[in-house]
Amino acid sequence: MTAQACSTVAILIATVVYAAAYTLPGCNNQHGRPMFENSSAFALFTVTDYIAVGCSLTSVVMFLSILVAPLQLRDFHHTLPRTLTMGFTFLFLSVAATMIAFTSTVFLTIHYLEQRRWFRTFCFSLVSAIVSIFAMIQFPLYVSFRETLMNIIKLPKKLLKCVKL
C-alpha cells in the first residue's frame, strides 16, 4: 500500500518536472536561446529540475521493485527496509528539488516584473517561507522514519541474543 502510494506520487513529480524541463521559464530571444540563460536562478532551475527527474524516477524504480519482487521471509528484515528507505530518500530529494526549481522559477519571473520593490520582496519572502515550512515539516519525519527502520532491523538481533542466554 505504501509503495503504491509513493510510486504514484513519484510518477506525478516526474511528469511535472519532465514537462517543466521542456517549457522553460520565460521566452526565447531572437536567436532561439532562453531569455534567462545567463541568470544564476535559471541555472539553479535547470540543475534542480534534472535532479528532481532523476530522483523521482529512481524512487519509482525502488517502489516498483518492492511491488513486483517475490519477497521471502528474510527479505522483510533486510532487503525490504533498505529498498523502502532508499525509495523514501529519493522521493524526499525529488520533492525538495522540485520545490527549489519552483522557487527559482518564481524568482526569475518576479524579478522581471515591473512592479514595486515591496511586491517583489513580499513574493520572495512568501516563496522562501513555503520552502522552509516544507523542509521543517518533512525532514524530521524522514529522520524519525529512518531511526524507526534501523531499530526494526536491530530488533531480531537483540531477540536472538536474549534467546541464546
Side-chain angles (χ1 to χ4, degrees):
M1 179 84 163
T2 302
Q4 287 177 330
C6 290
S7 63
T8 302
V9 170
I11 290 169
L12 287 172
I13 291 172
T15 304
V16 168
V17 293
Y18 184 79
Y22 287 100
T23 56
L24 299 173
C27 57
N28 294 335
N29 59 17
Q30 61 268 22
H31 303 293
R33 306 284 299 171
M35 185 172 89
F36 301 127
E37 74 178 330
N38 295 326
S39 172
S40 58
F42 183 75
L44 180 66
F45 164 78
T46 305
V47 169
T48 55
D49 195 60
Y50 288 127
I51 289 172
V53 168
C55 288
S56 63
L57 291 177
T58 304
S59 68
V60 168
V61 170
M62 292 290 135
F63 291 125
L64 288 179
S65 71
I66 292 171
L67 293 172
V68 299
L71 297 173
Q72 297 175 356
L73 184 60
R74 66 179 169 7
D75 293 332
F76 284 93
H77 293 292
H78 300 288
T79 307
L80 185 63
R82 265 190 259 131
T83 307
L84 196 59
T85 303
M86 287 176 50
F88 280 137
T89 301
F90 284 112
L91 183 61
F92 178 79
L93 290 174
S94 69
V95 170
T98 303
M99 291 294 292
I100 294 170
F102 168 73
T103 304
S104 63
T105 303
V106 169
F107 286 164
L108 280 171
T109 55
I110 290 176
H111 180 71
Y112 287 98
L113 285 176
E114 296 297 327
Q115 298 288 335
R116 296 190 176 126
R117 184 180 173 106
W118 66 268
F119 179 72
R120 288 191 303 218
T121 304
F122 172 73
C123 290
F124 287 154
S125 302
L126 183 65
V127 170
S128 299
I130 290 170
V131 172
S132 300
I133 289 170
F134 167 76
M136 289 186 319
I137 291 172
Q138 297 299 322
F139 191 71
L141 179 66
Y142 172 73
V143 170
S144 174
F145 168 76
R146 183 150 172 86
E147 289 173 0
T148 303
L149 271 176
M150 292 305 129
N151 288 335
I152 289 172
I153 290 171
K154 293 176 185 176
L155 185 64
K157 293 177 185 177
K158 291 179 182 177
L159 290 175
L160 287 175
K161 287 180 183 178
C162 291
V163 170
K164 289 181 182 178
L165 295 175

